[in-house]
Short mmCIF file of all heavy atoms in Angstrom, two decimals:
data_model
loop_
_atom_site.label_atom_id
_atom_site.label_comp_id
_atom_site.label_asym_id
_atom_site.label_seq_id
_atom_site.Cartn_x
_atom_site.Cartn_y
_atom_site.Cartn_z
N MET W 1 52.71 -11.75 21.94
CA MET W 1 51.82 -11.44 20.88
C MET W 1 50.82 -10.26 21.37
O MET W 1 50.32 -10.39 22.44
CB MET W 1 51.03 -12.59 20.34
CG MET W 1 50.19 -12.39 19.10
SD MET W 1 49.89 -13.93 18.43
CE MET W 1 49.66 -13.44 16.66
N ALA W 2 50.57 -9.29 20.52
CA ALA W 2 49.70 -8.17 20.94
C ALA W 2 48.29 -8.62 21.06
O ALA W 2 47.87 -9.31 20.13
CB ALA W 2 49.94 -7.00 20.06
N PRO W 3 47.55 -8.09 22.04
CA PRO W 3 46.15 -8.39 22.01
C PRO W 3 45.43 -7.72 20.93
O PRO W 3 45.43 -6.45 20.82
CB PRO W 3 45.62 -7.77 23.45
CG PRO W 3 46.95 -7.62 24.11
CD PRO W 3 47.99 -7.45 23.18
N PHE W 4 44.88 -8.47 19.94
CA PHE W 4 44.31 -7.78 18.78
C PHE W 4 43.00 -7.07 19.05
O PHE W 4 42.85 -6.04 18.36
CB PHE W 4 44.04 -8.93 17.72
CG PHE W 4 45.25 -9.54 17.24
CD1 PHE W 4 45.56 -10.82 17.58
CD2 PHE W 4 46.04 -8.84 16.30
CE1 PHE W 4 46.77 -11.44 17.11
CE2 PHE W 4 47.19 -9.46 15.85
CZ PHE W 4 47.57 -10.68 16.21
N LYS W 5 42.32 -7.37 20.03
CA LYS W 5 41.15 -6.52 20.38
C LYS W 5 41.47 -5.08 20.70
O LYS W 5 40.90 -4.12 20.22
CB LYS W 5 40.42 -7.18 21.55
CG LYS W 5 39.20 -6.51 21.98
CD LYS W 5 38.57 -7.21 23.13
CE LYS W 5 37.30 -6.36 23.70
NZ LYS W 5 36.74 -7.10 24.87
N GLU W 6 42.55 -4.95 21.53
CA GLU W 6 43.00 -3.64 21.92
C GLU W 6 43.60 -2.84 20.75
O GLU W 6 43.44 -1.61 20.68
CB GLU W 6 43.97 -3.68 23.10
CG GLU W 6 43.31 -4.07 24.39
CD GLU W 6 43.07 -5.61 24.56
OE1 GLU W 6 43.43 -6.32 23.65
OE2 GLU W 6 42.45 -5.95 25.59
N VAL W 7 44.42 -3.51 19.87
CA VAL W 7 44.95 -2.92 18.78
C VAL W 7 43.93 -2.39 17.86
O VAL W 7 44.04 -1.34 17.30
CB VAL W 7 45.91 -3.87 18.08
CG1 VAL W 7 46.45 -3.32 16.76
CG2 VAL W 7 47.11 -4.24 18.91
N ARG W 8 42.77 -3.18 17.65
CA ARG W 8 41.78 -2.74 16.80
C ARG W 8 41.06 -1.50 17.42
O ARG W 8 40.63 -0.56 16.72
CB ARG W 8 40.84 -3.92 16.53
CG ARG W 8 41.24 -4.92 15.53
CD ARG W 8 40.19 -5.86 15.09
NE ARG W 8 39.38 -6.40 16.24
CZ ARG W 8 39.68 -7.64 16.81
NH1 ARG W 8 40.71 -8.35 16.34
NH2 ARG W 8 39.03 -8.12 17.80
N ALA W 9 40.89 -1.49 18.63
CA ALA W 9 40.29 -0.36 19.42
C ALA W 9 41.16 0.91 19.18
O ALA W 9 40.45 1.93 18.90
CB ALA W 9 40.09 -0.59 20.89
N VAL W 10 42.46 0.73 19.30
CA VAL W 10 43.21 1.93 19.11
C VAL W 10 43.13 2.52 17.55
O VAL W 10 43.04 3.66 17.27
CB VAL W 10 44.76 1.66 19.44
CG1 VAL W 10 45.68 2.72 18.82
CG2 VAL W 10 44.84 1.44 20.90
N LYS W 11 43.11 1.53 16.70
CA LYS W 11 42.87 1.92 15.25
C LYS W 11 41.56 2.57 14.97
O LYS W 11 41.53 3.59 14.25
CB LYS W 11 43.07 0.73 14.34
CG LYS W 11 44.45 0.18 14.26
CD LYS W 11 44.60 -1.06 13.37
CE LYS W 11 45.97 -1.52 13.18
NZ LYS W 11 46.05 -2.76 12.35
N ARG W 12 40.49 2.11 15.63
CA ARG W 12 39.23 2.68 15.50
C ARG W 12 39.23 4.13 16.09
O ARG W 12 38.72 5.02 15.52
CB ARG W 12 38.12 1.88 16.17
CG ARG W 12 37.63 0.72 15.35
CD ARG W 12 36.26 0.09 15.92
NE ARG W 12 36.49 -0.27 17.34
CZ ARG W 12 36.90 -1.41 17.72
NH1 ARG W 12 37.32 -2.31 16.92
NH2 ARG W 12 36.92 -1.65 19.06
N LEU W 13 39.94 4.26 17.23
CA LEU W 13 39.96 5.53 17.88
C LEU W 13 40.79 6.49 16.97
O LEU W 13 40.34 7.73 16.75
CB LEU W 13 40.73 5.48 19.27
CG LEU W 13 40.93 6.80 19.93
CD1 LEU W 13 39.65 7.47 20.27
CD2 LEU W 13 41.74 6.56 21.15
N ARG W 14 41.83 6.07 16.39
CA ARG W 14 42.64 6.89 15.48
C ARG W 14 41.73 7.30 14.25
O ARG W 14 41.75 8.43 13.87
CB ARG W 14 43.82 6.19 14.93
CG ARG W 14 44.75 6.82 14.05
CD ARG W 14 45.72 5.98 13.37
NE ARG W 14 45.00 4.91 12.67
CZ ARG W 14 45.59 3.73 12.34
NH1 ARG W 14 46.76 3.49 12.64
NH2 ARG W 14 44.85 2.86 11.61
N THR W 15 41.03 6.45 13.69
CA THR W 15 40.16 6.67 12.51
C THR W 15 39.17 7.66 12.95
O THR W 15 38.88 8.61 12.16
CB THR W 15 39.55 5.38 12.04
OG1 THR W 15 40.62 4.45 11.64
CG2 THR W 15 38.61 5.69 10.91
N SER W 16 38.50 7.57 14.19
CA SER W 16 37.52 8.57 14.62
C SER W 16 38.10 9.95 14.77
O SER W 16 37.50 10.92 14.34
CB SER W 16 36.92 8.03 15.93
OG SER W 16 36.22 6.89 15.71
N VAL W 17 39.28 10.10 15.21
CA VAL W 17 39.92 11.32 15.43
C VAL W 17 40.15 12.06 14.06
O VAL W 17 39.90 13.11 13.87
CB VAL W 17 41.28 11.19 16.23
CG1 VAL W 17 42.03 12.60 16.19
CG2 VAL W 17 40.99 10.86 17.68
N VAL W 18 40.59 11.26 13.15
CA VAL W 18 41.00 11.71 11.88
C VAL W 18 39.68 12.20 11.08
O VAL W 18 39.62 13.29 10.48
CB VAL W 18 41.79 10.72 10.99
CG1 VAL W 18 41.88 11.15 9.61
CG2 VAL W 18 43.15 10.47 11.56
N GLU W 19 38.67 11.38 11.21
CA GLU W 19 37.40 11.67 10.52
C GLU W 19 36.76 13.01 11.22
O GLU W 19 36.19 13.87 10.50
CB GLU W 19 36.45 10.46 10.58
CG GLU W 19 36.85 9.33 9.62
CD GLU W 19 35.98 8.21 9.85
OE1 GLU W 19 35.12 8.13 10.80
OE2 GLU W 19 36.09 7.22 9.00
N GLY W 20 36.80 13.01 12.44
CA GLY W 20 36.27 14.15 13.20
C GLY W 20 37.08 15.43 12.83
O GLY W 20 36.42 16.48 12.61
N LEU W 21 38.34 15.25 12.75
CA LEU W 21 39.18 16.48 12.35
C LEU W 21 38.79 16.95 10.94
O LEU W 21 38.75 18.14 10.55
CB LEU W 21 40.68 16.29 12.48
CG LEU W 21 41.15 16.21 13.94
CD1 LEU W 21 42.62 15.77 13.95
CD2 LEU W 21 40.93 17.51 14.59
N GLY W 22 38.65 15.91 9.99
CA GLY W 22 38.13 16.21 8.62
C GLY W 22 36.86 17.05 8.55
O GLY W 22 36.67 17.90 7.85
N SER W 23 35.94 16.49 9.36
CA SER W 23 34.63 17.17 9.38
C SER W 23 34.70 18.57 9.97
O SER W 23 34.08 19.51 9.50
CB SER W 23 33.71 16.31 10.26
OG SER W 23 33.32 15.06 9.75
N LEU W 24 35.53 18.69 11.00
CA LEU W 24 35.75 20.15 11.61
C LEU W 24 36.34 21.02 10.58
O LEU W 24 35.88 22.17 10.42
CB LEU W 24 36.60 19.93 12.77
CG LEU W 24 36.95 21.24 13.55
CD1 LEU W 24 35.58 21.83 14.14
CD2 LEU W 24 37.89 21.01 14.66
N ARG W 25 37.29 20.51 9.83
CA ARG W 25 37.99 21.37 8.76
C ARG W 25 36.92 21.68 7.71
O ARG W 25 36.84 22.82 7.17
CB ARG W 25 39.07 20.46 8.10
CG ARG W 25 39.70 21.21 6.92
CD ARG W 25 40.58 20.22 6.10
NE ARG W 25 40.95 20.80 4.90
CZ ARG W 25 40.26 20.71 3.73
NH1 ARG W 25 39.17 20.11 3.64
NH2 ARG W 25 40.71 21.29 2.58
N ASN W 26 36.06 20.71 7.29
CA ASN W 26 35.03 21.10 6.30
C ASN W 26 34.07 22.09 6.77
O ASN W 26 33.61 23.05 6.02
CB ASN W 26 34.33 19.92 5.87
CG ASN W 26 35.15 18.90 5.07
OD1 ASN W 26 36.17 19.30 4.45
ND2 ASN W 26 34.90 17.59 4.99
N LYS W 27 33.70 22.08 8.10
CA LYS W 27 32.71 23.04 8.64
C LYS W 27 33.31 24.44 8.88
O LYS W 27 32.58 25.41 8.60
CB LYS W 27 32.19 22.44 9.94
CG LYS W 27 31.24 21.32 9.75
CD LYS W 27 30.54 21.03 11.02
CE LYS W 27 29.64 19.82 10.85
NZ LYS W 27 28.43 19.94 10.08
N ILE W 28 34.58 24.41 9.36
CA ILE W 28 35.14 25.84 9.69
C ILE W 28 36.15 26.27 8.74
O ILE W 28 36.62 27.43 8.75
CB ILE W 28 35.65 25.90 11.04
CG1 ILE W 28 36.89 24.95 11.19
CG2 ILE W 28 34.59 25.51 12.15
CD1 ILE W 28 37.58 25.06 12.58
N GLY W 29 36.57 25.45 7.73
CA GLY W 29 37.54 25.81 6.84
C GLY W 29 36.93 26.60 5.60
O GLY W 29 35.74 26.68 5.54
N ASP W 30 37.74 26.88 4.63
CA ASP W 30 37.25 27.48 3.42
C ASP W 30 37.38 26.65 2.08
O ASP W 30 37.11 27.11 1.05
CB ASP W 30 37.90 28.89 3.22
CG ASP W 30 39.43 28.77 2.97
OD1 ASP W 30 39.94 27.64 2.97
OD2 ASP W 30 40.05 29.83 2.87
N ALA W 31 37.66 25.38 2.40
CA ALA W 31 37.78 24.44 1.22
C ALA W 31 36.48 24.17 0.45
O ALA W 31 36.51 23.92 -0.69
CB ALA W 31 38.41 23.19 1.75
N HIS W 32 35.36 24.36 1.01
CA HIS W 32 34.10 24.06 0.51
C HIS W 32 33.16 25.37 0.50
O HIS W 32 32.01 25.24 0.52
CB HIS W 32 33.39 22.98 1.24
CG HIS W 32 34.11 21.59 1.18
ND1 HIS W 32 34.13 20.93 0.11
CD2 HIS W 32 34.88 20.96 2.02
CE1 HIS W 32 34.82 19.84 0.15
NE2 HIS W 32 35.38 19.85 1.45
N GLY W 33 33.81 26.53 0.40
CA GLY W 33 32.99 27.68 0.32
C GLY W 33 32.74 28.25 1.69
O GLY W 33 33.02 27.58 2.79
N GLN W 34 32.14 29.45 1.72
CA GLN W 34 31.96 30.15 3.02
C GLN W 34 30.41 30.07 3.28
O GLN W 34 29.57 30.22 2.50
CB GLN W 34 32.37 31.56 2.98
CG GLN W 34 33.85 31.72 2.70
CD GLN W 34 34.61 31.51 4.01
OE1 GLN W 34 34.08 31.73 5.04
NE2 GLN W 34 35.75 31.04 3.87
N GLY W 35 30.09 29.93 4.58
CA GLY W 35 28.71 30.14 5.09
C GLY W 35 28.46 31.64 5.31
O GLY W 35 29.16 32.43 4.85
N GLY W 36 27.44 31.86 6.11
CA GLY W 36 27.10 33.23 6.42
C GLY W 36 28.09 33.94 7.19
O GLY W 36 28.37 35.10 6.98
N LYS W 37 28.55 33.22 8.23
CA LYS W 37 29.57 33.85 9.12
C LYS W 37 30.58 32.77 9.39
O LYS W 37 30.39 32.01 10.36
CB LYS W 37 28.91 34.24 10.49
CG LYS W 37 29.85 35.04 11.37
CD LYS W 37 29.07 35.54 12.62
CE LYS W 37 29.93 36.24 13.47
NZ LYS W 37 29.23 36.65 14.73
N PRO W 38 31.72 32.76 8.66
CA PRO W 38 32.78 31.70 8.87
C PRO W 38 33.47 31.85 10.19
O PRO W 38 33.69 32.89 10.80
CB PRO W 38 33.72 31.95 7.64
CG PRO W 38 33.55 33.36 7.28
CD PRO W 38 32.03 33.69 7.57
N VAL W 39 33.77 30.70 10.69
CA VAL W 39 34.58 30.55 12.04
C VAL W 39 35.97 30.38 11.66
O VAL W 39 36.41 29.67 10.75
CB VAL W 39 34.09 29.40 12.76
CG1 VAL W 39 34.84 29.34 14.08
CG2 VAL W 39 32.58 29.52 13.17
N ARG W 40 36.86 31.23 12.24
CA ARG W 40 38.31 31.19 12.07
C ARG W 40 39.06 30.91 13.23
O ARG W 40 39.53 31.82 13.97
CB ARG W 40 38.75 32.48 11.36
CG ARG W 40 38.25 32.73 9.99
CD ARG W 40 39.04 31.99 8.96
NE ARG W 40 38.50 32.25 7.73
CZ ARG W 40 38.27 31.36 6.82
NH1 ARG W 40 38.44 30.05 7.07
NH2 ARG W 40 37.78 31.60 5.64
N PRO W 41 39.40 29.58 13.60
CA PRO W 41 40.31 29.33 14.71
C PRO W 41 41.70 29.84 14.30
O PRO W 41 41.97 29.76 13.15
CB PRO W 41 40.13 27.89 14.94
CG PRO W 41 39.65 27.33 13.64
CD PRO W 41 38.85 28.43 12.96
N SER W 42 42.42 30.28 15.21
CA SER W 42 43.79 30.64 14.97
C SER W 42 44.69 29.52 14.66
O SER W 42 44.44 28.35 14.99
CB SER W 42 44.36 31.54 16.19
OG SER W 42 44.64 30.64 17.18
N ALA W 43 45.78 29.79 13.99
CA ALA W 43 46.74 28.83 13.66
C ALA W 43 47.33 28.18 14.98
O ALA W 43 47.68 26.97 15.11
CB ALA W 43 47.83 29.35 12.78
N ARG W 44 47.45 28.97 15.97
CA ARG W 44 47.94 28.58 17.32
C ARG W 44 47.02 27.46 17.85
O ARG W 44 47.47 26.50 18.35
CB ARG W 44 48.06 29.78 18.19
CG ARG W 44 48.45 29.45 19.64
CD ARG W 44 48.74 30.71 20.43
NE ARG W 44 48.50 30.48 21.83
CZ ARG W 44 47.44 30.82 22.58
NH1 ARG W 44 46.48 31.52 21.97
NH2 ARG W 44 47.27 30.40 23.77
N HIS W 45 45.70 27.64 17.72
CA HIS W 45 44.84 26.71 18.25
C HIS W 45 44.90 25.34 17.50
O HIS W 45 44.84 24.30 18.25
CB HIS W 45 43.36 27.19 18.25
CG HIS W 45 43.12 28.37 19.24
ND1 HIS W 45 42.53 29.50 18.93
CD2 HIS W 45 43.46 28.35 20.53
CE1 HIS W 45 42.41 30.31 19.96
NE2 HIS W 45 42.98 29.59 20.99
N ALA W 46 45.11 25.38 16.22
CA ALA W 46 45.22 24.19 15.43
C ALA W 46 46.53 23.45 15.83
O ALA W 46 46.51 22.27 16.00
CB ALA W 46 45.17 24.53 14.02
N ALA W 47 47.50 24.27 15.99
CA ALA W 47 48.87 23.63 16.34
C ALA W 47 48.74 23.05 17.76
O ALA W 47 49.27 21.95 17.98
CB ALA W 47 50.02 24.70 16.41
N GLN W 48 48.09 23.73 18.70
CA GLN W 48 47.96 23.09 20.10
C GLN W 48 47.13 21.84 20.02
O GLN W 48 47.43 20.85 20.69
CB GLN W 48 47.28 24.20 21.01
CG GLN W 48 48.06 25.29 21.47
CD GLN W 48 47.47 26.26 22.22
OE1 GLN W 48 46.25 26.53 22.07
NE2 GLN W 48 48.13 26.82 23.19
N LEU W 49 46.04 21.85 19.18
CA LEU W 49 45.30 20.64 19.08
C LEU W 49 46.14 19.46 18.55
O LEU W 49 46.15 18.33 19.12
CB LEU W 49 44.05 20.88 18.17
CG LEU W 49 43.31 19.61 17.84
CD1 LEU W 49 42.58 19.11 19.01
CD2 LEU W 49 42.15 19.94 16.70
N ALA W 50 46.89 19.71 17.56
CA ALA W 50 47.68 18.64 16.94
C ALA W 50 48.76 18.11 17.91
O ALA W 50 49.00 16.88 18.06
CB ALA W 50 48.43 19.10 15.66
N VAL W 51 49.37 19.05 18.64
CA VAL W 51 50.52 18.75 19.62
C VAL W 51 49.81 17.96 20.82
O VAL W 51 50.35 16.94 21.23
CB VAL W 51 51.24 19.92 20.21
CG1 VAL W 51 52.06 19.59 21.35
CG2 VAL W 51 52.07 20.44 18.97
N ASN W 52 48.73 18.42 21.27
CA ASN W 52 48.11 17.65 22.42
C ASN W 52 47.54 16.27 22.05
O ASN W 52 47.71 15.35 22.86
CB ASN W 52 46.95 18.58 23.02
CG ASN W 52 47.48 19.79 23.72
OD1 ASN W 52 48.63 19.83 24.10
ND2 ASN W 52 46.63 20.83 23.73
N LEU W 53 47.04 16.18 20.84
CA LEU W 53 46.53 14.93 20.36
C LEU W 53 47.81 13.94 20.28
O LEU W 53 47.64 12.71 20.74
CB LEU W 53 45.83 14.99 19.01
CG LEU W 53 44.39 15.32 19.10
CD1 LEU W 53 43.89 15.64 17.71
CD2 LEU W 53 43.55 14.28 19.75
N ALA W 54 48.76 14.39 19.66
CA ALA W 54 50.05 13.52 19.51
C ALA W 54 50.54 13.15 20.89
O ALA W 54 50.95 12.01 21.13
CB ALA W 54 51.08 14.29 18.70
N GLY W 55 50.69 14.10 21.82
CA GLY W 55 51.13 13.83 23.17
C GLY W 55 50.21 12.81 23.88
O GLY W 55 50.72 11.79 24.53
N ALA W 56 48.89 12.90 23.76
CA ALA W 56 48.03 12.05 24.39
C ALA W 56 48.10 10.64 23.86
O ALA W 56 48.03 9.68 24.60
CB ALA W 56 46.52 12.57 24.23
N MET W 57 48.25 10.54 22.58
CA MET W 57 48.31 9.20 21.94
C MET W 57 49.65 8.59 22.35
O MET W 57 49.63 7.35 22.55
CB MET W 57 48.18 9.36 20.39
CG MET W 57 48.02 8.08 19.66
SD MET W 57 46.49 7.31 20.33
CE MET W 57 45.78 6.68 18.86
N ALA W 58 50.73 9.28 22.30
CA ALA W 58 52.02 8.78 22.67
C ALA W 58 51.98 8.32 24.12
O ALA W 58 52.51 7.16 24.44
CB ALA W 58 53.14 9.79 22.50
N THR W 59 51.45 9.08 25.06
CA THR W 59 51.30 8.58 26.49
C THR W 59 50.39 7.33 26.59
O THR W 59 50.82 6.49 27.33
CB THR W 59 50.69 9.71 27.24
OG1 THR W 59 51.54 10.92 27.18
CG2 THR W 59 50.50 9.27 28.77
N PHE W 60 49.36 7.35 25.90
CA PHE W 60 48.47 6.17 25.92
C PHE W 60 49.27 4.91 25.34
O PHE W 60 49.24 3.79 26.11
CB PHE W 60 47.23 6.31 25.00
CG PHE W 60 46.53 5.12 24.87
CD1 PHE W 60 45.63 4.65 25.90
CD2 PHE W 60 46.56 4.35 23.68
CE1 PHE W 60 44.83 3.47 25.68
CE2 PHE W 60 45.80 3.18 23.48
CZ PHE W 60 44.94 2.82 24.48
N LEU W 61 49.86 5.03 24.30
CA LEU W 61 50.59 3.89 23.78
C LEU W 61 51.68 3.47 24.55
O LEU W 61 52.05 2.29 24.74
CB LEU W 61 51.01 4.19 22.24
CG LEU W 61 49.82 4.29 21.24
CD1 LEU W 61 50.51 4.80 19.87
CD2 LEU W 61 49.18 3.03 21.04
N ASP W 62 52.49 4.42 25.10
CA ASP W 62 53.56 4.02 25.90
C ASP W 62 53.12 3.30 27.15
O ASP W 62 53.73 2.29 27.64
CB ASP W 62 54.36 5.37 26.45
CG ASP W 62 55.58 4.95 27.34
OD1 ASP W 62 56.33 4.12 26.84
OD2 ASP W 62 55.63 5.61 28.37
N THR W 63 52.05 3.78 27.85
CA THR W 63 51.44 3.12 29.00
C THR W 63 51.00 1.66 28.54
O THR W 63 51.15 0.72 29.32
CB THR W 63 50.26 3.92 29.52
OG1 THR W 63 50.84 5.24 29.90
CG2 THR W 63 49.67 3.23 30.81
N TRP W 64 50.31 1.55 27.50
CA TRP W 64 49.70 0.33 27.06
C TRP W 64 50.89 -0.68 26.79
O TRP W 64 50.79 -1.80 27.13
CB TRP W 64 49.00 0.53 25.79
CG TRP W 64 48.22 -0.76 25.31
CD1 TRP W 64 46.92 -1.16 25.75
CD2 TRP W 64 48.71 -1.65 24.40
NE1 TRP W 64 46.62 -2.33 25.14
CE2 TRP W 64 47.66 -2.63 24.32
CE3 TRP W 64 49.80 -1.71 23.55
CZ2 TRP W 64 47.79 -3.67 23.44
CZ3 TRP W 64 49.88 -2.81 22.73
CH2 TRP W 64 48.86 -3.86 22.68
N ILE W 65 51.95 -0.24 26.17
CA ILE W 65 53.15 -1.08 25.87
C ILE W 65 53.75 -1.60 27.16
O ILE W 65 54.04 -2.83 27.23
CB ILE W 65 54.13 -0.38 24.94
CG1 ILE W 65 53.49 -0.29 23.46
CG2 ILE W 65 55.40 -1.19 24.85
CD1 ILE W 65 54.23 0.62 22.60
N VAL W 66 53.96 -0.68 28.11
CA VAL W 66 54.61 -1.11 29.38
C VAL W 66 53.74 -2.14 30.06
O VAL W 66 54.21 -3.05 30.64
CB VAL W 66 54.78 0.19 30.13
CG1 VAL W 66 55.18 -0.14 31.70
CG2 VAL W 66 55.88 0.96 29.62
N ARG W 67 52.38 -1.94 30.13
CA ARG W 67 51.52 -2.78 30.79
C ARG W 67 51.42 -4.15 30.10
O ARG W 67 50.94 -5.17 30.81
CB ARG W 67 50.13 -2.08 31.06
CG ARG W 67 50.13 -1.07 32.05
CD ARG W 67 48.82 -0.49 32.21
NE ARG W 67 48.91 0.67 33.01
CZ ARG W 67 47.85 1.44 33.34
NH1 ARG W 67 46.73 1.28 32.72
NH2 ARG W 67 48.02 2.46 34.24
N ASN W 68 51.57 -4.20 28.82
CA ASN W 68 51.24 -5.41 28.06
C ASN W 68 52.47 -6.11 27.55
O ASN W 68 52.32 -7.07 26.67
CB ASN W 68 50.25 -5.18 26.92
CG ASN W 68 48.91 -4.67 27.50
OD1 ASN W 68 48.23 -5.50 28.02
ND2 ASN W 68 48.66 -3.44 27.58
N THR W 69 53.68 -5.77 27.92
CA THR W 69 54.82 -6.53 27.44
C THR W 69 55.64 -7.05 28.59
O THR W 69 55.45 -6.78 29.72
CB THR W 69 55.78 -5.58 26.58
OG1 THR W 69 56.13 -4.46 27.32
CG2 THR W 69 54.98 -5.18 25.33
#
């Protein structure tokens, strides 16, 4: 049986990442209008962030599963 404390911690972490990315999108994106000087990260940077986050989460979960099963 999976340790529920750790599973909840992973879920909170995932929620924090998603909320943080949403806030970042709102601040630097154009969905809510433009500020005085908009910031425009490149599509490449956004793609790298997504890939790196996915890789980090996969590595973490793989390690956690190996250690706890």
Side-chain angles (χ1 to χ4, degrees):
M1 186 160 207
F4 292 107
K5 180 180 175 184
E6 289 80 2
V7 171
R8 284 193 307 268
V10 169
K11 287 181 179 179
R12 281 192 305 273
L13 177 62
R14 178 194 61 201
T15 300
S16 294
V17 168
V18 170
E19 288 174 351
L21 288 172
S23 294
L24 183 62
R25 175 194 171 268
N26 290 339
K27 287 189 185 291
I28 67 173
D30 61 1
H32 295 284
Q34 296 286 330
K37 186 176 181 185
V39 177
R40 293 278 181 228
S42 70
R44 179 175 150 251
H45 289 129
Q48 285 177 327
L49 175 62
V51 168
N52 290 336
L53 278 172
M57 194 59 139
T59 300
F60 169 79
L61 290 173
D62 181 50
T63 302
W64 186 84
I65 289 168
V66 167
R67 290 181 183 173
N68 293 285
T69 56

